[in-house]
Amino acid sequence: MEFRTLRAFVEVVRQGGFSQAAKTVFTTQSTVSKAVKQLEDEVGVALLERIGHRSVMTAAGEIVYARGVRLLADRADLLAELAEVRGLKRGVLRLGLPPVGSATLFAPLFAIYRQRYPGIDIDLDEHGSLDLEEKLRAGSIDFAGLQLPLAEDFEGQPVRSEPLVALLSSNHALAQRSAVSLEVLGDIPFIVFDDGFSLHRRLMRLARARGLDPVIAAQSSQVDFMVELVAAGLGVTFLPRTIAAHHAHPMVRRIAFEEPELNWSVAMAWRRGAYLSAAAAAWLDLVREIHSGAASSDVSV
């Protein structure tokens, strides 16, 4: 059943005849008559009884008219909703962000996006990188904030790259150094993120590549807690430079690394070849607008 023929029939009933219906739908009386005949042929029953110059609905016609009015109204509503989605007046953006660094990197983007598109709902999912990668592959989120390099089935827009720094208690013998190597810290217990975080896995790979087998004093997903453990002299932890600066502690020293490969590079990632809704495409446009100069090799704060 075509909406064209259904609308022709409904307008004939509404307008009281074929000639007036033709004016309403901007076509000829002959075209309207053919459309109603096509609809009658399709449903297999007469919908209108022609009595002189008048057309009166049959019992079947009354059923089709009542249903047809609702169908045409639902179609109009559907088209209006789709127009709102395309016009970014409504919709949903599904974001997956890691707990580490999101406030620094993505809160400003949130503010701009909400200001531009107040009708878009943001569905935020905060997890470690392993969970975010699974959700991104499954299509349950549109984007995820992930560390570079990305898996082959993802594409990404680089957002930030900066060095890691070591955090030691200010009472530690190494605390007055301006820079250290990972090997020098190898005998100190490590305070690290949970193993669901890519920063954990990256740090452990780098340590083992240098022949280190560090003792893990604690694992956590809370930066403040990790910094407090360092202040108490429990061990050393490792944070991106900007995040470490935001969690400054009077009893903790931040020390640069001598190795340039000890860095933290984050991208906004999406599934390669995935369909991006209008809301998602607008988010990606904003990320590119703000971070178009970012590259995975950049070191900037």
Side-chain angles (χ1 to χ4, degrees):
M1 183 179 295
E2 298 180 13
F3 283 109
R4 175 185 59 84
T5 59
L6 189 60
R7 188 187 176 204
F9 168 69
V10 167
E11 290 302 330
V12 168
V13 175
R14 279 177 173 168
Q15 305 303 324
F18 286 83
S19 60
Q20 285 301 112
K23 293 177 183 178
T24 302
V25 297
F26 304 103
T27 188
T28 65
Q29 182 175 335
S30 173
T31 300
V32 171
S33 181
K34 288 178 181 177
V36 173
K37 181 62 168 62
Q38 181 181 338
L39 181 60
E40 289 179 323
D41 290 343
E42 186 174 354
V43 298
V45 65
L47 302 177
L48 294 171
E49 183 181 0
R50 281 76 170 179
I51 303 175
H53 295 293
R54 296 185 306 113
S55 297
V56 180
M57 284 188 291
T58 64
E62 291 179 356
I63 294 172
V64 172
Y65 177 78
R67 295 277 188 174
V69 168
R70 291 199 293 271
L71 285 171
L72 291 170
D74 286 343
R75 177 180 182 270
D77 289 344
L78 172 62
L79 294 176
E81 288 183 19
L82 291 174
E84 287 188 346
V85 169
R86 288 193 295 268
L88 292 169
K89 293 181 180 179
R90 62 187 301 179
V92 178
L93 173 66
R94 304 171 304 166
L95 284 180
L97 298 178
V100 180
S102 292
T104 301
L105 297 182
F106 301 114
L109 291 176
F110 267 58
I112 297 171
Y113 190 84
R114 292 293 293 173
Q115 184 178 27
R116 292 183 182 179
Y117 314 111
I120 302 295
D121 293 329
I122 300 177
D123 187 357
L124 184 59
D125 197 334
E126 292 184 281
H127 282 94
S129 57
L130 282 179
D131 286 337
L132 293 181
E133 288 177 7
E134 290 180 6
K135 290 174 181 290
L136 194 57
R137 287 191 176 95
S140 58
I141 54 177
D142 300 313
F143 297 99
L146 299 176
Q147 279 200 57
L148 294 170
L150 300 174
E152 291 185 358
D153 51 343
F154 296 146
E155 297 183 77
Q157 166 62 44
V159 171
R160 176 73 67 88
S161 183
E162 63 180 62
L164 291 176
V165 294
L167 275 67
L168 277 171
S169 166
S170 57
N171 295 324
H172 196 279
L174 298 175
Q176 301 309 312
R177 291 199 180 188
S178 59
V180 293
S181 66
L182 192 58
E183 287 86 347
V184 168
L185 301 174
D187 294 330
I188 305 172
F190 281 16
I191 299 166
V192 295
F193 288 103
D194 295 335
D195 55 12
F197 289 71
S198 54
L199 190 55
H200 172 108
R201 300 193 303 277
R202 175 172 169 74
L203 182 64
M204 298 310 293
R205 281 197 302 268
L206 290 170
R208 292 184 182 117
R210 289 162 171 76
L212 303 177
D213 185 18
V215 173
I216 305 300
Q219 297 186 65
S220 176
S221 61
Q222 303 299 317
V223 175
D224 286 334
F225 180 61
M226 295 164 68
V227 172
E228 287 294 340
L229 292 179
V230 170
L234 192 64
V236 59
T237 196
F238 310 88
L239 292 175
R241 185 170 61 190
T242 302
I243 296 173
H246 286 173
H247 293 269
H249 190 290
M251 294 301 296
V252 172
R253 282 267 299 160
R254 302 191 299 272
I255 308 171
F257 275 108
E258 297 170 352
E259 301 97 329
E261 66 271 25
L262 288 174
N263 60 13
W264 178 68
S265 298
V266 178
M268 183 57 61
W270 63 97
R271 185 163 45 87
R272 188 178 298 276
Y275 165 76
L276 295 180
S277 67
W283 172 260
L284 181 56
D285 287 343
L286 175 61
V287 174
R288 285 172 169 164
E289 174 188 332
I290 302 300
H291 296 289
S292 59
S296 60
S297 60
D298 289 344
V299 177
S300 57
V301 178

